[in-house]
Amino acid sequence: MTGKIADKPEILAPAGGRAAFAAALAAGADAVYCGMKRFSARMAAENFTPAELVGLAGMARDRGVKVYVAFNTLVKPADMDDAGALIRELAETVRPEALIVSDPAMASLASQAGFRGDIHLSTLANVSFPGALQTIGRLPRVNRVVLPRELSVDEIRQMAAACPEGVSLEVFVHGALCYAVSGRCYWSSYLGGKSGLRGSCVQPCRRVYAQENRRARFFSCQDLWLDMLVKVLRTVPGISAFKIEGRKKGPHYVYYVTRAYRMLRDHSGDNQAKKEALACLDYAMGRGGTHYHFLPQRPFNPIDIESATASGRLVGKIQGSMTKPYIEPREPLFAKDVLRIGYEDAPGHKTLRVTKSVPKRGRLFLSLSRKERAVNKTPVFLIDRREPDLEAAIDDIAQHAPPAQNDSGPKPGFSARVPKSAGSKKMRPFHMHVHRRPPGAAPSKDATGVWVHPGVTRIFPRRAKETWWWFPPVVWPEKADELVAAVDRIRKAGATRFVINAPWQMAFLPRGKNLDVWAGPFCNAANPITTGILGDMGCAGVIVSPELGREDYLRLVRESPLPLGIVVYGSWPLCISRIKADALKEGLPFESPKKEHAWVSRHGEDYWVFPEWPVD
């Protein structure tokens, strides 16, 4: 049985702040998603407190518009009480229709906090193959799954056909593309000390890298634009929402992209409406567009190193003297427009607000300090604007919104219920070495781990039972059946030990067959509630997320109901991706602006980016 078919998938718009929220309503969004100032995967956005959001949510509800709140970050042991208290305050005041979560612990905390709305599983949870959907029911009240952006329409159809009753799908139709598969990126933690899984990504993939004397943005993607192809999605049962990415974007982007996709959904046969919708998308100031993998017969690599992938629209370049720089804009500028001087990763880049209107080819003099002065020909981008019509639309919405309430903060006293620790159920410590190929017949003092892939055929029966068979971090629909067959061969050879790298990979293993299953580090388990949920799903132990620090590890050891493992040494990837720039050579080092070195290596269907230093 598939999930309920939506007669008209909702247009789900982003709102990073109050003005963007009003813009989404003015443009006709059916639902708005936003984040709080903690526990959101877009911490760089303005975000909300419950007191700021309660009036806006009430105004949206009066208009028949739903509000979803993202709690889609990895939760550490010390976070659980605060996260639960915040969810409880939201449930009592804002009353959002759904929470968007990536860590299974958040679904449990929502129930403990008295939240009675829906639970949507974020794309960061990496539900990437059809069989995964059959395991979703093991989490409380999950009734929607946000699919990875890497899927083609044929793969989306496979996912829809596998949806259990009561579960629907949400599909991204527009917005920024990450180079890495969502939930499989540690690059920002490595190079910036800011965890992408914790909402603090510094976007190292947007930077300029060098390989063999060639400098380019080898990992920076163009945006996803499905535009008129959404009519194809309308034919797929089980899709309940068309999602627009962009909680870090301003109200201009939110308004025009939301308006465009509403027209494309409602008037797909109207040529004038399509023309107007495409004009709105061009005017929204995103990056250049790509259909990415959506059309399997015409896949599109979104990495074009010859094109600029800066956000915003180029409106001019700096001219004049160092003491009196100016630009002559290619289009009119309005008061309150926002400009960015230079690229986001360039030293000294700066944003500034236009104070008065400037005609096309007029002169806008830039007030810059001595440290901020940029050289001639530095590009200037328009990243948000406040044209009079949009300002009027936002003001009309905003004047009906009640002011933010006094923010007293979450009520104290929430104590997260965590599963009882296994206590005396200690395991004998052992080391495991993980390899790419099946082991030979020679005995080994340490346990051996091997990555499972569809090509695994040569298996030594004497070693099959001793070996730990590791599932890949990502399983795509096209390889799922082959992986099932490979696991069957491995089990028939005597294998009983497996390491899953997403909770949903339990779908590949039968329950109650005397198997010893551990959750691997790509499950990103970081708190005792999640380890308990993994135990309920059939795991005997958990190798915890490499994102944890010393105190997190020690507290989790005390509280976890399952035995724990830890990655202590080896080449841990910066990220895993389904794509690679054509110009980037595999196996050869490339260099970051700060002289860090890494390389790309293909394993199976994916590209792994490894730093040239090990986890130790």
Side-chain angles (χ1 to χ4, degrees), residues 1-4 127-137 145 147 154-169 236-239 477 480-481 507:
M1 292 292 291
T2 60
K4 182 180 178 181
V127 181
S128 62
F129 63 98
L133 290 158
Q134 300 301 318
T135 66
I136 299 302
V145 173
L147 293 182
D154 288 350
E155 292 172 323
I156 292 170
R157 289 186 192 279
Q158 293 179 51
M159 299 295 284
C163 272
E165 186 69 35
V167 176
S168 66
L169 302 178
V236 181
I239 294 179
D481 288 344

PDB file of all heavy atoms in Angstrom, residues 1-4 127-137 145 147 154-169 236-239 477 480-481 507:
ATOM      1  N   MET A   1       0.847  -1.189   0.000  1.00  0.00           N
ATOM      2  CA  MET A   1       0.000   0.000   0.000  1.00  0.00           C
ATOM      3  C   MET A   1       0.889   1.247   0.000  1.00  0.00           C
ATOM      4  O   MET A   1       1.878   1.317   0.698  1.00  0.00           O
ATOM      5  CB  MET A   1      -0.899   0.014   1.242  1.00  0.00           C
ATOM      6  CG  MET A   1      -1.952  -1.075   1.243  1.00  0.00           C
ATOM      7  SD  MET A   1      -3.209  -0.807  -0.030  1.00  0.00           S
ATOM      8  CE  MET A   1      -4.034   0.639   0.635  1.00  0.00           C
ATOM      9  N   THR A   2       0.515   2.231  -0.760  1.00  0.00           N
ATOM     10  CA  THR A   2       1.254   3.495  -0.753  1.00  0.00           C
ATOM     11  C   THR A   2       0.591   4.464   0.179  1.00  0.00           C
ATOM     12  O   THR A   2      -0.548   4.280   0.605  1.00  0.00           O
ATOM     13  CB  THR A   2       1.295   4.121  -2.157  1.00  0.00           C
ATOM     14  OG1 THR A   2      -0.035   4.365  -2.592  1.00  0.00           O
ATOM     15  CG2 THR A   2       1.978   3.193  -3.131  1.00  0.00           C
ATOM     16  N   GLY A   3       1.345   5.539   0.529  1.00  0.00           N
ATOM     17  CA  GLY A   3       0.764   6.582   1.359  1.00  0.00           C
ATOM     18  C   GLY A   3      -0.343   7.309   0.617  1.00  0.00           C
ATOM     19  O   GLY A   3      -0.550   7.132  -0.580  1.00  0.00           O
ATOM     20  N   LYS A   4      -1.061   8.116   1.336  1.00  0.00           N
ATOM     21  CA  LYS A   4      -2.179   8.855   0.750  1.00  0.00           C
ATOM     22  C   LYS A   4      -1.695   9.751  -0.382  1.00  0.00           C
ATOM     23  O   LYS A   4      -0.710  10.447  -0.262  1.00  0.00           O
ATOM     24  CB  LYS A   4      -2.855   9.694   1.831  1.00  0.00           C
ATOM     25  CG  LYS A   4      -4.060  10.462   1.321  1.00  0.00           C
ATOM     26  CD  LYS A   4      -4.673  11.266   2.443  1.00  0.00           C
ATOM     27  CE  LYS A   4      -5.856  12.083   1.922  1.00  0.00           C
ATOM     28  NZ  LYS A   4      -6.465  12.913   2.989  1.00  0.00           N
ATOM     29  N   VAL A 127      17.157   8.722   4.012  1.00  0.00           N
ATOM     30  CA  VAL A 127      16.269   7.626   3.602  1.00  0.00           C
ATOM     31  C   VAL A 127      16.345   7.568   2.079  1.00  0.00           C
ATOM     32  O   VAL A 127      15.648   8.290   1.377  1.00  0.00           O
ATOM     33  CB  VAL A 127      14.827   7.868   4.074  1.00  0.00           C
ATOM     34  CG1 VAL A 127      13.922   6.708   3.667  1.00  0.00           C
ATOM     35  CG2 VAL A 127      14.792   8.052   5.588  1.00  0.00           C
ATOM     36  N   SER A 128      17.208   6.712   1.549  1.00  0.00           N
ATOM     37  CA  SER A 128      17.623   6.826   0.145  1.00  0.00           C
ATOM     38  C   SER A 128      17.225   5.652  -0.733  1.00  0.00           C
ATOM     39  O   SER A 128      17.461   5.692  -1.945  1.00  0.00           O
ATOM     40  CB  SER A 128      19.138   7.008   0.070  1.00  0.00           C
ATOM     41  OG  SER A 128      19.803   5.880   0.622  1.00  0.00           O
ATOM     42  N   PHE A 129      16.636   4.578  -0.172  1.00  0.00           N
ATOM     43  CA  PHE A 129      16.258   3.433  -1.003  1.00  0.00           C
ATOM     44  C   PHE A 129      14.873   2.944  -0.578  1.00  0.00           C
ATOM     45  O   PHE A 129      14.448   3.165   0.568  1.00  0.00           O
ATOM     46  CB  PHE A 129      17.300   2.312  -0.899  1.00  0.00           C
ATOM     47  CG  PHE A 129      17.439   1.727   0.486  1.00  0.00           C
ATOM     48  CD1 PHE A 129      16.777   0.546   0.831  1.00  0.00           C
ATOM     49  CD2 PHE A 129      18.241   2.337   1.443  1.00  0.00           C
ATOM     50  CE1 PHE A 129      16.922   0.003   2.094  1.00  0.00           C
ATOM     51  CE2 PHE A 129      18.384   1.799   2.712  1.00  0.00           C
ATOM     52  CZ  PHE A 129      17.713   0.632   3.047  1.00  0.00           C
ATOM     53  N   PRO A 130      14.129   2.289  -1.464  1.00  0.00           N
ATOM     54  CA  PRO A 130      12.729   1.976  -1.181  1.00  0.00           C
ATOM     55  C   PRO A 130      12.500   1.160   0.081  1.00  0.00           C
ATOM     56  O   PRO A 130      11.590   1.453   0.871  1.00  0.00           O
ATOM     57  CB  PRO A 130      12.299   1.202  -2.438  1.00  0.00           C
ATOM     58  CG  PRO A 130      13.176   1.716  -3.521  1.00  0.00           C
ATOM     59  CD  PRO A 130      14.497   1.963  -2.863  1.00  0.00           C
ATOM     60  N   GLY A 131      13.311   0.116   0.306  1.00  0.00           N
ATOM     61  CA  GLY A 131      13.099  -0.730   1.475  1.00  0.00           C
ATOM     62  C   GLY A 131      13.219   0.010   2.787  1.00  0.00           C
ATOM     63  O   GLY A 131      12.666  -0.423   3.817  1.00  0.00           O
ATOM     64  N   ALA A 132      13.947   1.146   2.775  1.00  0.00           N
ATOM     65  CA  ALA A 132      14.112   1.926   4.007  1.00  0.00           C
ATOM     66  C   ALA A 132      12.773   2.399   4.558  1.00  0.00           C
ATOM     67  O   ALA A 132      12.595   2.528   5.771  1.00  0.00           O
ATOM     68  CB  ALA A 132      15.020   3.123   3.742  1.00  0.00           C
ATOM     69  N   LEU A 133      11.831   2.663   3.660  1.00  0.00           N
ATOM     70  CA  LEU A 133      10.549   3.213   4.096  1.00  0.00           C
ATOM     71  C   LEU A 133       9.762   2.228   4.950  1.00  0.00           C
ATOM     72  O   LEU A 133       8.907   2.634   5.740  1.00  0.00           O
ATOM     73  CB  LEU A 133       9.732   3.637   2.873  1.00  0.00           C
ATOM     74  CG  LEU A 133      10.293   4.866   2.153  1.00  0.00           C
ATOM     75  CD1 LEU A 133       9.810   4.931   0.716  1.00  0.00           C
ATOM     76  CD2 LEU A 133       9.930   6.141   2.895  1.00  0.00           C
ATOM     77  N   GLN A 134      10.051   0.943   4.805  1.00  0.00           N
ATOM     78  CA  GLN A 134       9.337  -0.039   5.608  1.00  0.00           C
ATOM     79  C   GLN A 134       9.788  -0.030   7.067  1.00  0.00           C
ATOM     80  O   GLN A 134       9.109  -0.574   7.932  1.00  0.00           O
ATOM     81  CB  GLN A 134       9.541  -1.444   5.021  1.00  0.00           C
ATOM     82  CG  GLN A 134       9.041  -1.583   3.591  1.00  0.00           C
ATOM     83  CD  GLN A 134       7.557  -1.279   3.448  1.00  0.00           C
ATOM     84  OE1 GLN A 134       6.750  -1.694   4.288  1.00  0.00           O
ATOM     85  NE2 GLN A 134       7.189  -0.534   2.407  1.00  0.00           N
ATOM     86  N   THR A 135      10.959   0.566   7.347  1.00  0.00           N
ATOM     87  CA  THR A 135      11.442   0.631   8.732  1.00  0.00           C
ATOM     88  C   THR A 135      11.030   1.918   9.434  1.00  0.00           C
ATOM     89  O   THR A 135      11.220   2.049  10.639  1.00  0.00           O
ATOM     90  CB  THR A 135      12.981   0.530   8.769  1.00  0.00           C
ATOM     91  OG1 THR A 135      13.543   1.689   8.133  1.00  0.00           O
ATOM     92  CG2 THR A 135      13.463  -0.708   8.042  1.00  0.00           C
ATOM     93  N   ILE A 136      10.475   2.871   8.672  1.00  0.00           N
ATOM     94  CA  ILE A 136      10.149   4.174   9.247  1.00  0.00           C
ATOM     95  C   ILE A 136       9.102   4.037  10.352  1.00  0.00           C
ATOM     96  O   ILE A 136       9.102   4.782  11.328  1.00  0.00           O
ATOM     97  CB  ILE A 136       9.649   5.138   8.153  1.00  0.00           C
ATOM     98  CG1 ILE A 136      10.736   5.351   7.105  1.00  0.00           C
ATOM     99  CG2 ILE A 136       9.207   6.469   8.740  1.00  0.00           C
ATOM    100  CD1 ILE A 136      12.029   5.877   7.630  1.00  0.00           C
ATOM    101  N   GLY A 137       8.210   3.064  10.202  1.00  0.00           N
ATOM    102  CA  GLY A 137       7.155   2.888  11.198  1.00  0.00           C
ATOM    103  C   GLY A 137       7.663   2.567  12.588  1.00  0.00           C
ATOM    104  O   GLY A 137       6.885   2.600  13.550  1.00  0.00           O
ATOM    105  N   VAL A 145       8.467  11.700   4.775  1.00  0.00           N
ATOM    106  CA  VAL A 145       9.913  11.560   4.593  1.00  0.00           C
ATOM    107  C   VAL A 145      10.360  12.544   3.520  1.00  0.00           C
ATOM    108  O   VAL A 145       9.768  12.609   2.436  1.00  0.00           O
ATOM    109  CB  VAL A 145      10.281  10.121   4.179  1.00  0.00           C
ATOM    110  CG1 VAL A 145      11.759  10.025   3.836  1.00  0.00           C
ATOM    111  CG2 VAL A 145       9.928   9.141   5.300  1.00  0.00           C
ATOM    112  N   LEU A 147      12.889  13.393   0.783  1.00  0.00           N
ATOM    113  CA  LEU A 147      13.804  12.587  -0.023  1.00  0.00           C
ATOM    114  C   LEU A 147      15.109  13.319  -0.332  1.00  0.00           C
ATOM    115  O   LEU A 147      15.139  14.552  -0.417  1.00  0.00           O
ATOM    116  CB  LEU A 147      13.129  12.194  -1.334  1.00  0.00           C
ATOM    117  CG  LEU A 147      11.947  11.229  -1.224  1.00  0.00           C
ATOM    118  CD1 LEU A 147      11.424  10.890  -2.610  1.00  0.00           C
ATOM    119  CD2 LEU A 147      12.332   9.954  -0.486  1.00  0.00           C
ATOM    120  N   ASP A 154      12.590   8.584 -11.752  1.00  0.00           N
ATOM    121  CA  ASP A 154      12.322   7.148 -11.711  1.00  0.00           C
ATOM    122  C   ASP A 154      12.578   6.582 -10.318  1.00  0.00           C
ATOM    123  O   ASP A 154      11.824   5.726  -9.831  1.00  0.00           O
ATOM    124  CB  ASP A 154      13.191   6.407 -12.733  1.00  0.00           C
ATOM    125  CG  ASP A 154      12.746   6.660 -14.169  1.00  0.00           C
ATOM    126  OD1 ASP A 154      11.663   7.256 -14.357  1.00  0.00           O
ATOM    127  OD2 ASP A 154      13.484   6.277 -15.098  1.00  0.00           O
ATOM    128  N   GLU A 155      13.633   7.056  -9.664  1.00  0.00           N
ATOM    129  CA  GLU A 155      13.924   6.611  -8.294  1.00  0.00           C
ATOM    130  C   GLU A 155      12.872   7.125  -7.324  1.00  0.00           C
ATOM    131  O   GLU A 155      12.502   6.433  -6.365  1.00  0.00           O
ATOM    132  CB  GLU A 155      15.328   7.067  -7.898  1.00  0.00           C
ATOM    133  CG  GLU A 155      16.423   6.364  -8.688  1.00  0.00           C
ATOM    134  CD  GLU A 155      17.804   6.940  -8.442  1.00  0.00           C
ATOM    135  OE1 GLU A 155      17.927   8.172  -8.282  1.00  0.00           O
ATOM    136  OE2 GLU A 155      18.777   6.167  -8.406  1.00  0.00           O
ATOM    137  N   ILE A 156      12.397   8.348  -7.546  1.00  0.00           N
ATOM    138  CA  ILE A 156      11.317   8.881  -6.714  1.00  0.00           C
ATOM    139  C   ILE A 156      10.066   8.021  -6.860  1.00  0.00           C
ATOM    140  O   ILE A 156       9.359   7.746  -5.879  1.00  0.00           O
ATOM    141  CB  ILE A 156      11.035  10.351  -7.084  1.00  0.00           C
ATOM    142  CG1 ILE A 156      12.223  11.237  -6.685  1.00  0.00           C
ATOM    143  CG2 ILE A 156       9.758  10.850  -6.401  1.00  0.00           C
ATOM    144  CD1 ILE A 156      12.146  12.659  -7.209  1.00  0.00           C
ATOM    145  N   ARG A 157       9.779   7.570  -8.086  1.00  0.00           N
ATOM    146  CA  ARG A 157       8.636   6.675  -8.286  1.00  0.00           C
ATOM    147  C   ARG A 157       8.812   5.372  -7.498  1.00  0.00           C
ATOM    148  O   ARG A 157       7.852   4.848  -6.912  1.00  0.00           O
ATOM    149  CB  ARG A 157       8.472   6.359  -9.776  1.00  0.00           C
ATOM    150  CG  ARG A 157       7.977   7.516 -10.626  1.00  0.00           C
ATOM    151  CD  ARG A 157       7.721   7.052 -12.056  1.00  0.00           C
ATOM    152  NE  ARG A 157       7.519   8.181 -12.956  1.00  0.00           N
ATOM    153  CZ  ARG A 157       6.359   8.829 -13.080  1.00  0.00           C
ATOM    154  NH1 ARG A 157       5.309   8.453 -12.365  1.00  0.00           N
ATOM    155  NH2 ARG A 157       6.255   9.846 -13.925  1.00  0.00           N
ATOM    156  N   GLN A 158      10.015   4.829  -7.493  1.00  0.00           N
ATOM    157  CA  GLN A 158      10.263   3.612  -6.718  1.00  0.00           C
ATOM    158  C   GLN A 158      10.027   3.861  -5.229  1.00  0.00           C
ATOM    159  O   GLN A 158       9.459   3.002  -4.535  1.00  0.00           O
ATOM    160  CB  GLN A 158      11.688   3.136  -6.938  1.00  0.00           C
ATOM    161  CG  GLN A 158      11.998   2.648  -8.348  1.00  0.00           C
ATOM    162  CD  GLN A 158      13.453   2.219  -8.478  1.00  0.00           C
ATOM    163  OE1 GLN A 158      13.969   1.421  -7.680  1.00  0.00           O
ATOM    164  NE2 GLN A 158      14.143   2.770  -9.466  1.00  0.00           N
ATOM    165  N   MET A 159      10.469   5.006  -4.745  1.00  0.00           N
ATOM    166  CA  MET A 159      10.259   5.330  -3.335  1.00  0.00           C
ATOM    167  C   MET A 159       8.767   5.461  -3.028  1.00  0.00           C
ATOM    168  O   MET A 159       8.275   4.962  -2.015  1.00  0.00           O
ATOM    169  CB  MET A 159      10.994   6.626  -2.984  1.00  0.00           C
ATOM    170  CG  MET A 159      12.497   6.592  -3.176  1.00  0.00           C
ATOM    171  SD  MET A 159      13.369   5.442  -2.092  1.00  0.00           S
ATOM    172  CE  MET A 159      13.332   6.357  -0.533  1.00  0.00           C
ATOM    173  N   ALA A 160       8.047   6.126  -3.927  1.00  0.00           N
ATOM    174  CA  ALA A 160       6.613   6.318  -3.711  1.00  0.00           C
ATOM    175  C   ALA A 160       5.876   4.985  -3.682  1.00  0.00           C
ATOM    176  O   ALA A 160       4.963   4.780  -2.878  1.00  0.00           O
ATOM    177  CB  ALA A 160       6.043   7.225  -4.803  1.00  0.00           C
ATOM    178  N   ALA A 161       6.280   4.058  -4.558  1.00  0.00           N
ATOM    179  CA  ALA A 161       5.617   2.757  -4.603  1.00  0.00           C
ATOM    180  C   ALA A 161       5.859   1.952  -3.337  1.00  0.00           C
ATOM    181  O   ALA A 161       5.068   1.058  -3.008  1.00  0.00           O
ATOM    182  CB  ALA A 161       6.104   1.978  -5.831  1.00  0.00           C
ATOM    183  N   ALA A 162       6.947   2.266  -2.617  1.00  0.00           N
ATOM    184  CA  ALA A 162       7.287   1.513  -1.405  1.00  0.00           C
ATOM    185  C   ALA A 162       6.738   2.136  -0.134  1.00  0.00           C
ATOM    186  O   ALA A 162       6.918   1.578   0.954  1.00  0.00           O
ATOM    187  CB  ALA A 162       8.806   1.386  -1.302  1.00  0.00           C
ATOM    188  N   CYS A 163       6.078   3.292  -0.250  1.00  0.00           N
ATOM    189  CA  CYS A 163       5.584   3.983   0.953  1.00  0.00           C
ATOM    190  C   CYS A 163       4.521   3.154   1.666  1.00  0.00           C
ATOM    191  O   CYS A 163       3.545   2.728   1.048  1.00  0.00           O
ATOM    192  CB  CYS A 163       4.983   5.338   0.579  1.00  0.00           C
ATOM    193  SG  CYS A 163       6.176   6.674   0.551  1.00  0.00           S
ATOM    194  N   PRO A 164       4.657   2.932   2.971  1.00  0.00           N
ATOM    195  CA  PRO A 164       3.593   2.261   3.709  1.00  0.00           C
ATOM    196  C   PRO A 164       2.399   3.188   3.891  1.00  0.00           C
ATOM    197  O   PRO A 164       2.503   4.405   3.683  1.00  0.00           O
ATOM    198  CB  PRO A 164       4.250   1.939   5.051  1.00  0.00           C
ATOM    199  CG  PRO A 164       5.341   2.951   5.195  1.00  0.00           C
ATOM    200  CD  PRO A 164       5.814   3.254   3.802  1.00  0.00           C
ATOM    201  N   GLU A 165       1.289   2.640   4.250  1.00  0.00           N
ATOM    202  CA  GLU A 165       0.084   3.424   4.475  1.00  0.00           C
ATOM    203  C   GLU A 165       0.349   4.517   5.508  1.00  0.00           C
ATOM    204  O   GLU A 165       0.948   4.270   6.551  1.00  0.00           O
ATOM    205  CB  GLU A 165      -1.047   2.518   4.960  1.00  0.00           C
ATOM    206  CG  GLU A 165      -2.386   3.213   5.076  1.00  0.00           C
ATOM    207  CD  GLU A 165      -2.966   3.595   3.725  1.00  0.00           C
ATOM    208  OE1 GLU A 165      -2.763   2.835   2.746  1.00  0.00           O
ATOM    209  OE2 GLU A 165      -3.588   4.666   3.639  1.00  0.00           O
ATOM    210  N   GLY A 166      -0.062   5.733   5.190  1.00  0.00           N
ATOM    211  CA  GLY A 166       0.074   6.829   6.136  1.00  0.00           C
ATOM    212  C   GLY A 166       1.377   7.593   6.053  1.00  0.00           C
ATOM    213  O   GLY A 166       1.575   8.552   6.795  1.00  0.00           O
ATOM    214  N   VAL A 167       2.286   7.175   5.175  1.00  0.00           N
ATOM    215  CA  VAL A 167       3.558   7.884   5.006  1.00  0.00           C
ATOM    216  C   VAL A 167       3.583   8.495   3.610  1.00  0.00           C
ATOM    217  O   VAL A 167       3.300   7.822   2.623  1.00  0.00           O
ATOM    218  CB  VAL A 167       4.765   6.945   5.183  1.00  0.00           C
ATOM    219  CG1 VAL A 167       6.071   7.684   4.910  1.00  0.00           C
ATOM    220  CG2 VAL A 167       4.785   6.363   6.592  1.00  0.00           C
ATOM    221  N   SER A 168       3.903   9.784   3.532  1.00  0.00           N
ATOM    222  CA  SER A 168       4.005  10.466   2.250  1.00  0.00           C
ATOM    223  C   SER A 168       5.420  10.988   2.051  1.00  0.00           C
ATOM    224  O   SER A 168       6.260  10.905   2.951  1.00  0.00           O
ATOM    225  CB  SER A 168       2.993  11.615   2.169  1.00  0.00           C
ATOM    226  OG  SER A 168       3.316  12.627   3.117  1.00  0.00           O
ATOM    227  N   LEU A 169       5.677  11.555   0.870  1.00  0.00           N
ATOM    228  CA  LEU A 169       7.016  12.010   0.517  1.00  0.00           C
ATOM    229  C   LEU A 169       7.023  13.508   0.247  1.00  0.00           C
ATOM    230  O   LEU A 169       6.049  14.069  -0.243  1.00  0.00           O
ATOM    231  CB  LEU A 169       7.508  11.284  -0.734  1.00  0.00           C
ATOM    232  CG  LEU A 169       7.555   9.757  -0.661  1.00  0.00           C
ATOM    233  CD1 LEU A 169       8.017   9.189  -1.994  1.00  0.00           C
ATOM    234  CD2 LEU A 169       8.456   9.281   0.473  1.00  0.00           C
ATOM    235  N   VAL A 236       3.224  11.396  -9.789  1.00  0.00           N
ATOM    236  CA  VAL A 236       3.761  10.406  -8.852  1.00  0.00           C
ATOM    237  C   VAL A 236       2.888  10.378  -7.602  1.00  0.00           C
ATOM    238  O   VAL A 236       2.778  11.380  -6.899  1.00  0.00           O
ATOM    239  CB  VAL A 236       5.218  10.745  -8.466  1.00  0.00           C
ATOM    240  CG1 VAL A 236       5.767   9.692  -7.514  1.00  0.00           C
ATOM    241  CG2 VAL A 236       6.089  10.847  -9.707  1.00  0.00           C
ATOM    242  N   PRO A 237       2.253   9.252  -7.305  1.00  0.00           N
ATOM    243  CA  PRO A 237       1.413   9.189  -6.111  1.00  0.00           C
ATOM    244  C   PRO A 237       2.255   9.232  -4.842  1.00  0.00           C
ATOM    245  O   PRO A 237       3.399   8.784  -4.821  1.00  0.00           O
ATOM    246  CB  PRO A 237       0.707   7.838  -6.253  1.00  0.00           C
ATOM    247  CG  PRO A 237       1.640   7.018  -7.080  1.00  0.00           C
ATOM    248  CD  PRO A 237       2.286   7.978  -8.035  1.00  0.00           C
ATOM    249  N   GLY A 238       1.696   9.781  -3.796  1.00  0.00           N
ATOM    250  CA  GLY A 238       2.381   9.781  -2.508  1.00  0.00           C
ATOM    251  C   GLY A 238       3.223  10.994  -2.229  1.00  0.00           C
ATOM    252  O   GLY A 238       3.789  11.120  -1.142  1.00  0.00           O
ATOM    253  N   ILE A 239       3.350  11.932  -3.195  1.00  0.00           N
ATOM    254  CA  ILE A 239       4.109  13.156  -2.948  1.00  0.00           C
ATOM    255  C   ILE A 239       3.167  14.203  -2.373  1.00  0.00           C
ATOM    256  O   ILE A 239       2.194  14.599  -3.019  1.00  0.00           O
ATOM    257  CB  ILE A 239       4.774  13.674  -4.234  1.00  0.00           C
ATOM    258  CG1 ILE A 239       5.840  12.680  -4.704  1.00  0.00           C
ATOM    259  CG2 ILE A 239       5.408  15.042  -4.004  1.00  0.00           C
ATOM    260  CD1 ILE A 239       6.537  13.079  -5.978  1.00  0.00           C
ATOM    261  N   PRO A 477      18.498   3.593  -4.862  1.00  0.00           N
ATOM    262  CA  PRO A 477      17.491   2.625  -5.311  1.00  0.00           C
ATOM    263  C   PRO A 477      17.982   1.649  -6.370  1.00  0.00           C
ATOM    264  O   PRO A 477      17.645   0.462  -6.337  1.00  0.00           O
ATOM    265  CB  PRO A 477      16.372   3.526  -5.867  1.00  0.00           C
ATOM    266  CG  PRO A 477      16.485   4.791  -5.084  1.00  0.00           C
ATOM    267  CD  PRO A 477      17.958   4.982  -4.879  1.00  0.00           C
ATOM    268  N   ALA A 480      19.845  -1.267  -4.673  1.00  0.00           N
ATOM    269  CA  ALA A 480      19.285  -1.898  -3.481  1.00  0.00           C
ATOM    270  C   ALA A 480      19.066  -3.398  -3.675  1.00  0.00           C
ATOM    271  O   ALA A 480      19.422  -4.211  -2.809  1.00  0.00           O
ATOM    272  CB  ALA A 480      17.985  -1.208  -3.088  1.00  0.00           C
ATOM    273  N   ASP A 481      18.493  -3.790  -4.819  1.00  0.00           N
ATOM    274  CA  ASP A 481      18.239  -5.215  -5.056  1.00  0.00           C
ATOM    275  C   ASP A 481      19.545  -6.003  -5.155  1.00  0.00           C
ATOM    276  O   ASP A 481      19.642  -7.142  -4.670  1.00  0.00           O
ATOM    277  CB  ASP A 481      17.419  -5.401  -6.332  1.00  0.00           C
ATOM    278  CG  ASP A 481      15.974  -4.958  -6.164  1.00  0.00           C
ATOM    279  OD1 ASP A 481      15.529  -4.792  -5.004  1.00  0.00           O
ATOM    280  OD2 ASP A 481      15.295  -4.770  -7.185  1.00  0.00           O
ATOM    281  N   ALA A 507      16.482  -2.929   7.075  1.00  0.00           N
ATOM    282  CA  ALA A 507      15.594  -3.559   6.091  1.00  0.00           C
ATOM    283  C   ALA A 507      16.301  -4.670   5.311  1.00  0.00           C
ATOM    284  O   ALA A 507      15.638  -5.563   4.762  1.00  0.00           O
ATOM    285  CB  ALA A 507      15.057  -2.504   5.118  1.00  0.00           C
TER     286      ALA A 507
END
